[in-house]
Amino acid sequence: MKIAIIGAGAGIGFQSVLQALEKGHIVTALSTNTDHIANHPNLIKINGSATSSVDLKKAIKGSDVVLITVGTKNKKATTLFSDIARTLINVTDELNFTAPVLVITGFGAGESKNYLSFFMRLVISLFLKDQYINKTIMEELITKSAIKWEIIRPGMLTNSDLTQSYKAINRLYKGMKVVKISRADVAHFLISEAENPKMLYKYVALTN
């Protein structure tokens, strides 16, 4: 299948590129810098921005599924995620795009903030508050649009190896524990869900 990965240059996106190619999929990788991604017969690299309608349209056109995996190291106030959401909505409307779009945000966005552990609530409030405010806006924009969406909220991300042993939780409940998960395992979930979508129109928490 044809998979478009937006934010493919690092982290979850990069891991998703590697795993998708390993499984024989055709991948279009959009990132501000794709030069370090090894060339592959099934890989199309696009150096560009997820907030550019031209770049995003080029990346997702003709795809069977889109993975939005953009992150930022910027701890200051940002509109990156909401800007991506607005661009995505405009582009999918223009293309009459009806394939699934799987969007990475984070556990702590939207209603999930009420189910954070004390430690994670502290970490987010001290270091990532502005990011999560904007991720919440991203979720709201996408879920109210015509996009065939799925929101994926991983716990604290690590660079540990792929285990394929993790939990995907599609409801919020008192006492739930969402802790660490490797970027490789998040990518594994994304590719598995891209191949066989089971949780469309749901919010999915990922944790070890």
Side-chain angles (χ1 to χ4, degrees):
M1 65 189 304
K2 296 180 180 179
I3 303 177
I5 302 176
I6 313 305
I12 296 167
F14 180 67
Q15 290 293 327
S16 297
V17 170
L18 299 180
Q19 293 184 35
L21 290 173
E22 187 176 349
K23 298 191 77 173
H25 298 300
I26 298 170
V27 176
T28 299
L30 174 65
S31 177
T32 53
N33 185 5
T34 63
D35 295 344
H36 63 288
I37 305 176
N39 293 328
H40 188 283
N42 285 355
L43 176 64
I44 300 165
K45 299 193 288 186
I46 300 174
N47 284 332
S49 171
T51 61
S52 163
S53 295
V54 173
D55 294 340
L56 192 60
K57 186 181 295 185
K58 184 178 178 181
I60 75 171
K61 190 174 183 179
S63 297
D64 298 310
V65 64
V66 177
L67 313 182
I68 306 293
T69 65
V70 178
T72 178
K73 294 180 180 180
N74 182 11
K75 302 297 189 295
K76 298 179 180 179
T78 181
T79 61
L80 174 64
F81 302 104
S82 57
D83 289 344
I84 291 171
R86 290 187 176 94
T87 306
L88 179 67
I89 291 167
N90 290 336
V91 167
T92 51
D93 284 347
E94 288 179 23
L95 293 175
N96 193 25
F97 190 84
T98 57
V101 180
L102 313 184
V103 182
I104 294 288
T105 58
F107 196 76
E111 290 300 312
S112 67
K113 68 180 180 181
N114 299 317
Y115 297 84
L116 287 166
S117 66
F118 173 78
F119 174 72
M120 282 308 301
R121 187 179 293 113
L122 184 63
V123 169
I124 290 174
S125 65
L126 289 177
F127 305 110
L128 301 169
K129 180 180 178 181
D130 291 326
Q131 271 196 33
Y132 274 77
I133 288 172
N134 200 241
K135 286 180 178 182
T136 295
I137 297 171
M138 180 188 210
E139 290 188 354
E140 291 171 349
L141 289 168
I142 289 173
T143 57
K144 291 176 181 176
S145 74
I147 291 171
K148 188 183 290 184
W149 58 268
E150 181 176 324
I151 302 294
I152 295 98
R153 296 164 166 169
M156 185 181 292
L157 297 170
T158 74
N159 289 321
S160 299
D161 294 336
L162 174 67
T163 68
Q164 300 185 32
S165 177
Y166 53 85
K167 297 176 183 177
I169 307 168
N170 63 10
R171 65 187 182 93
L172 298 170
Y173 58 90
K174 186 176 180 180
M176 70 186 299
K177 294 182 179 179
V178 177
V179 290
K180 295 180 179 180
I181 185 168
S182 72
R183 291 173 174 85
D185 277 335
V186 176
H188 181 270
F189 174 82
L190 287 177
I191 302 305
S192 299
E193 191 68 10
E195 293 171 333
N196 183 22
K198 297 179 179 178
M199 299 192 189
L200 291 176
Y201 301 112
K202 293 182 179 180
Y203 301 86
V204 184
L206 296 181
T207 183
N208 285 343

